[in-house]
Amino acid sequence: MGPHEVTPWRATAAHHRALVAAPATLLLAALGRRLDLVLIGLPFLLIAAWSLWARPNQTPEVDAHLGPTVVHEGQSLEWSATLTTPPGTEDLVALLAPCDHIVTQPDSGGLAHAVPAGDTRARLTARLTATRWGERDAGLGLLSATSPFGAFRWAPPQLSGARIRVLPEKDPFTTRVGMPHPQGIVGLNRSARRGDGTDFAAVRAYGPGDRLRRINWRVSTRSTTLQVTATHADEDTSVQIVLDAFHDIGASAGLGGTRSSLDTGVRATAALTEHYLRAGERVGLLVLGTARLRPLAAAAGRRHLRRVLDSLAMIRPGTAQPAQDTQRVDHHLAKVSNASVVIVLTPGVSDRALDVALRLGNRGLTVVVIDTLPPVARGVLGLAELTAITPIVEHREIRAAQLAWRLRLLERAHHLNHLRATGIPVIEWSGPGSLDETLRQVHRRARAPRLARR
């Protein structure tokens, strides 16, 4: 944010009152020959004269800055405004505009600074804390400087803010169960084939191509031939994460407060992505129901984690056009490998998100559905909870809205039961160990033949 346009110093209402009150009081004192009115009007005259003499004759220059522009949830950024203060500047005042999920210190957003005599530069600072992921316009505000006695004020146009990106903070997540269907040449998953790895497979006779470091000397000394230790190869898995952003159900109080469905989905996606990328897997991301957000193909590495976090921060729930969104989703899903593990995070109220899970399951892919609907939204809702889900126009519509939401929950339960009946597990997100039991069952089923619809 650079210097603002030139704005002149303008007389305040207090100065105008002094200019009117002094002559009027002195005139009445002369007409009425009253010394007391002279004593009342003379200070106003002196103040007006002093204010005109001490009026600043230069326009301040201001440079406002907000940074850093990319932070994680819970991290702080600093807003600062540096001004050149000409002689006669006495006070500086700034007021920052409120912004959703941005906490300002001080809470009021107001800043004040008394300029010492002789200082030519002054600086106002405020600390802002981001409490929820997303993109925000922060740093908007008003600034003014005043001369002695508040006689003249300089106020530039509204300070322009900056677009900041708040990356989601991941939920704690660990799992002790590896991914099924490992493929590729790197990773930490135990492969069905033998090769260079860390998991013991068997002890066998030495053959062509075996490395000398693989010779098991303790067994070889008890045998007539050389024996080597065989291991299972370590391979990676393609993990495709599908996030439902058609709706954001529930009220969000930011990091550490109550969560909406999209809060749980976004933070769980960040946790899953970081965990599996550290484990050497390849992770892809598809966000449903948001505009101007391209799917991310499965990739590995630290840079890919940043790409995923940036995509999560740019989510705008319910902004996608149905026709364009369907075409984009179909094109991406067609390229998902049949050996991939698909994790769908959804509150379960969107038919299109559940249809994606069902279609991938019918293709023979391993699909796991994570239910992100907040617990408060699963029962009878009051006015506050209903307002967070759907706008209530009049008080008499509360009962109708409660009935409509109850019917929607019944439809949701029917669709989730249908997914379970087709062999797609539906679990709730609970942080560490959320997927352990499900992945164990998937490992057992992966060894059995499956029927896939072509």
Side-chain angles (χ1 to χ4, degrees), residues 348-355 357-358 369 407-422 424 426:
V349 298
S350 173
D351 294 338
R352 285 185 286 177
L354 298 178
D355 180 66
L358 187 60
V369 175
L407 292 175
R408 191 67 192 90
L409 289 179
L410 292 176
E411 295 178 359
R412 172 182 179 273
H414 171 73
H415 292 315
L416 295 182
N417 288 334
H418 179 64
L419 290 178
R420 295 186 181 97
T422 59
I424 299 176
V426 179

Side-chain angles (χ1 to χ4, degrees), residues 179-181 238 240 337-343 360-361 363-368 423-425 438-439 442-443 445-446 450:
M179 281 293 186
H181 320 305
S238 175
Q240 179 66 48
S337 171
N338 289 335
S340 301
V341 175
V342 181
I343 302 176
L360 293 174
R363 277 178 48 185
L365 277 70
T366 299
V367 181
V368 178
I424 299 176
T438 301
L439 291 179
V442 169
H443 273 287
R445 287 188 299 178
R450 292 181 296 173

